Amino acid sequence: MKPLNSKSRAITQGDRRAPNRAMLRAVGFTDEDFDKPIVGVANGQSNITPCNAGLGKLADIAAVEIRKSGGMPQMFGTITISDGISMGTEGMKCSLVSRDVIADSIETVCRGSSMDAVIAIGGCDKNMPGAMIAMARLNIPALFVYGGTIKPGHLDEEDLTVVSVFEAVGQFGAGSIDQDKLTDIEKNACPGYGSCGGMFTANTMSSAFEAMGMSLPYSSTMANEDKDKEISTGKSAKALLKMIEKNILPRDIMTREAFENAIAVVMAVGGSTNAVLHLLAIAHSAGVPLTMDDFEVIRKKIPLFCDLKPSGKYVAIDLHHVGGIPQVMKMMLKAGLLHGDCMTVTGKTIAENLADVPDQPREDQDVILPLDKPKAPEGHLVILKGNLCQEGAVAKVSGFNTRSFKGPARVFDSEEECLDAILSNSIKAGDVVVIRFEGPKGGPGMREMLAPTAAIVGEGLGDKVALITDGRFSGGTYGIVIGHIAPEAQIGGTIALIKDNDTISIDMDHNQLNVELTNDEIEQRRKEFVAPEIKYQSGVLAKYAKLVGSASKGAVTD
């Protein structure tokens, strides 16, 4: 097996490259190894978060299998930010930023070391899109290994996730639980290693990438602590060496049809709003035309037929035990809802990968529902337009049946201001909570609003209060929530011009989000608007604020 980059790699340029070879000998290369493909192992190991604390063993397994299969593994680290730990703090501003730092770092190492291929192993939310953006840019054989989901916590015969704790804060604020119960939920919600357990952002993106064909079948819903995750990682490394042999490249896999498959699966499983942002960004890097409007077209064709948290009953490992994403995809393929001829990292098409999967799931389960008896007849991520979001916004409609809402605005210029109001019982049924200056530039960093939304649900107001923002939502969020509002407040979007008690109108059925002001009133307010100074004037957040684009196009920085 010859290196793909033999014309550009320093180690194959003859005697004048002896110094380069000398340095590689110091890290274990022998004469024979210089003719093997160099395979980067992007290792997201970190004890910053349980999502990534179990990745080191998987990276070691991948490296061993790469070597056995004829490659030379070269391991390097990638960063992570824990969304769950940083949620509700200033640190959350760095979460979306980390997606681009991860992408840049993987691209930089692979280009700088002339890697022939790369396998990325990640856990927390931004590890996955960050790696995929880098893979699309590099376009060398590449494969993603998901570190795996956390197993559910248990208390009083109920499954718990980290979102249970956020909701418990709201319940405590409303007086429906006491301090002891809140502490018990906190202590039992996260029992070990792995990414947040519901169909939140991490499991959404892992499912999307399996559907896209960039990860092995079944790998997206395994638990980090289970043996099958280790076995799957070894198989992934072997698959990558086959990709090198056949010269199967990411852009051969990341086609327009593959993105459509990913979106369809996200709709079917009730995935995170973040999928919109990340898939747009990955498509940008892959040179694939994709817009927010495409999500709406696909949504109308795809029923929501998996009963998963945050708005349903089960967690990702439950889905795995009844057939995982392959079972979901086989049902969709039989119904004509997927493109079966898309290439995957196995070297086979989607249809070929699914050939031996049963047409229907086991009858003794209710995690995956029949296609003709779904939780909802259409997907749950609705794209809205209107005078409040001319470029678009993303609404999540799972969890409650409310399709329209009208009420007075309660305006807050930060997440903290809003959460204080919620926990002091200042938000009332019928209000439309507006959180602004939390967009990509204005945050900067587009924080997720899980703390306010979970507190609203915890106080029993989930179907009685709407929340709109130019920030993002956690995959654990549900309720009457609309995020990614663009243009954002920082650049003078209409959301910046709203005042308390302005009437906000939400109409999911007609894809509309509007403030009941005339065009003249809006333009008059726009003339008076002065953008606040960006909160960071140096460092990574200042740099990000200068580079980042609109959420409607994936909040990309290049």
Side-chain angles (χ1 to χ4, degrees):
M1 187 186 302
K2 294 294 184 181
L4 291 178
N5 295 329
S6 58
K7 291 184 179 180
S8 61
R9 280 243 311 275
I11 60 174
T12 59
Q13 295 288 322
D15 290 343
R16 62 194 176 90
R17 297 305 186 188
N20 307 86
R21 293 199 300 271
M23 294 193 71
L24 289 170
R25 289 183 193 278
V27 295
F29 275 67
T30 65
D31 288 346
E32 293 77 18
D33 294 330
F34 291 116
D35 287 329
K36 297 175 182 177
I38 293 182
V39 181
V41 180
N43 179 4
Q45 168 68 29
S46 170
N47 64 5
I48 286 174
T49 170
C51 310
N52 288 54
L55 300 187
K57 63 177 180 179
L58 302 181
D60 289 340
I61 289 168
V64 168
E65 291 297 338
I66 289 166
R67 191 179 293 272
K68 284 182 180 178
S69 300
M72 278 302 290
Q74 296 290 278
M75 193 178 298
F76 61 93
T78 66
I79 66 144
T80 194
I81 299 295
S82 172
D83 288 22
I85 296 171
S86 64
M87 195 75 68
T89 74
E90 282 285 296
M92 188 65 199
K93 294 178 184 291
C94 293
S95 169
L96 186 58
V97 175
S98 75
R99 181 192 74 180
D100 293 75
V101 174
I102 292 165
D104 292 350
S105 66
I106 294 174
E107 180 190 5
T108 300
V109 172
C110 289
R111 289 195 191 280
S113 300
S114 297
M115 299 287 187
D116 290 305
V118 62
I119 185 169
I121 302 168
C124 203
D125 296 4
K126 306 310 174 296
N127 298 179
M128 283 161 280
M132 207 66 57
I133 289 168
M135 291 172 182
R137 291 175 184 169
L138 290 162
N139 205 35
I140 57 176
L143 184 150
F144 185 79
V145 172
Y146 178 42
T149 185
I150 196 172
K151 293 181 178 181
H154 300 285
L155 183 67
D156 299 332
E157 298 184 351
E158 289 187 11
D159 284 349
L160 299 178
T161 69
V162 67
V163 175
S164 306
V165 189
F166 283 96
E167 292 180 1
V169 171
Q171 293 166 347
F172 176 75
S176 56
I177 62 172
D178 60 17
Q179 181 66 57
D180 288 343
K181 183 62 177 287
L182 174 59
T183 301
D184 285 344
I185 293 171
E186 173 195 328
K187 288 182 176 180
N188 288 278
C190 299
Y193 290 167
S195 299
C196 297
M199 192 48 69
F200 309 148
T201 300
N203 287 323
T204 296
M205 298 316 299
S206 68
S207 299
F209 297 161
E210 181 179 327
M212 188 182 289
M214 286 298 294
S215 297
L216 288 191
Y218 296 101
S219 65
S220 67
T221 52
M222 294 173 175
N224 172 266
E225 297 182 332
D226 285 350
K227 189 69 176 180
D228 58 357
K229 175 49 65 177
E230 297 181 17
I231 295 170
S232 176
T233 300
K235 290 180 178 179
S236 297
K238 292 177 182 178
L240 180 58
L241 270 293
K242 293 292 185 182
M243 292 176 70
I244 296 173
E245 286 184 8
K246 297 179 180 180
N247 198 27
I248 298 173
L249 306 178
R251 293 193 185 191
D252 298 330
I253 297 171
M254 295 187 199
T255 62
R256 165 69 188 215
E257 291 74 19
F259 279 96
E260 291 180 357
N261 283 348
I263 295 168
V265 167
V266 168
M267 296 297 178
V269 300
S272 168
T273 53
N274 283 310
V276 179
L277 194 77
H278 297 326
L279 289 173
L280 287 171
I282 298 162
H284 169 80
S285 292
V288 172
L290 192 71
T291 69
M292 292 180 77
D293 293 336
D294 294 319
F295 287 79
E296 183 64 21
V297 171
I298 296 170
R299 179 190 75 81
K300 292 180 178 178
K301 301 176 183 177
I302 308 297
L304 168 59
F305 64 98
C306 294
D307 191 11
L308 299 168
K309 291 179 181 293
S311 57
K313 181 178 180 182
Y314 296 102
V315 294
I317 194 64
D318 296 321
L319 175 61
H320 186 67
H321 290 154
V322 299
I325 294 302
Q327 182 64 77
V328 173
M329 292 179 69
K330 184 60 174 286
M331 295 167 67
M332 298 173 73
L333 183 66
K334 292 291 290 185
L337 300 175
L338 285 183
H339 302 287
D341 57 350
C342 292
M343 178 55 63
T344 74
V345 293
T346 66
K348 299 178 180 179
T349 65
I350 291 287
E352 289 171 334
N353 286 344
L354 299 176
D356 296 331
V357 177
D359 290 348
Q360 299 298 327
R362 303 194 323 252
E363 293 185 359
D364 63 340
Q365 61 83 43
D366 58 354
V367 182
I368 305 173
L369 304 175
L371 272 172
D372 59 353
K373 296 180 181 178
K375 283 176 66 70
E378 295 180 339
H380 63 299
L381 302 180
V382 181
I383 304 302
L384 304 180
K385 297 287 180 70
N387 67 5
L388 251 178
C389 54
Q390 294 92 331
E391 292 180 12
V394 184
K396 192 174 188 180
V397 298
S398 56
F400 298 103
N401 294 321
T402 305
R403 304 286 298 183
S404 62
F405 197 95
K406 182 183 289 190
R410 294 292 310 280
V411 182
F412 303 94
D413 287 347
S414 72
E415 177 186 7
E416 288 85 354
E417 291 179 19
C418 176
L419 185 59
D420 287 344
I422 295 168
L423 295 179
S424 65
N425 298 312
S426 298
I427 302 301
K428 306 301 181 186
D431 287 343
V432 178
V433 174
V434 179
I435 306 178
R436 62 191 183 188
F437 298 106
E438 292 284 7
K441 287 184 180 294
M446 205 178 179
R447 285 193 290 183
E448 293 178 347
M449 303 295 135
L450 178 58
T453 59
I456 287 170
V457 170
E459 291 195 358
L461 296 172
D463 60 345
K464 301 177 180 66
V465 169
L467 190 150
I468 70 173
T469 180
D470 54 4
R472 296 182 294 129
F473 293 116
S474 162
T477 290
Y478 64 102
I480 309 169
V481 294
I482 300 167
H484 306 199
I485 288 177
E488 63 172 289
Q490 185 67 37
I491 63 172
T494 308
I495 189 172
L497 313 178
I498 298 171
K499 298 179 180 179
D500 278 336
N501 295 314
D502 285 346
T503 299
I504 308 294
S505 175
I506 302 165
D507 185 346
M508 305 290 188
D509 290 327
H510 296 92
N511 303 92
Q512 289 290 305
L513 173 63
N514 292 287
V515 57
E516 294 189 356
L517 297 171
T518 66
N519 290 339
D520 288 344
E521 288 172 319
I522 291 173
E523 289 309 310
Q524 182 57 44
R525 292 187 186 182
R526 197 180 306 281
K527 291 176 183 177
E528 299 168 358
F529 171 73
V530 177
E533 186 176 49
I534 296 292
K535 300 177 182 68
Y536 293 82
Q537 294 299 307
S538 63
V540 67
L541 288 172
K543 187 187 304 181
Y544 185 84
K546 290 177 181 177
L547 294 174
V548 71
S550 172
S552 65
K553 296 184 178 179
V556 298
T557 54
D558 64 341

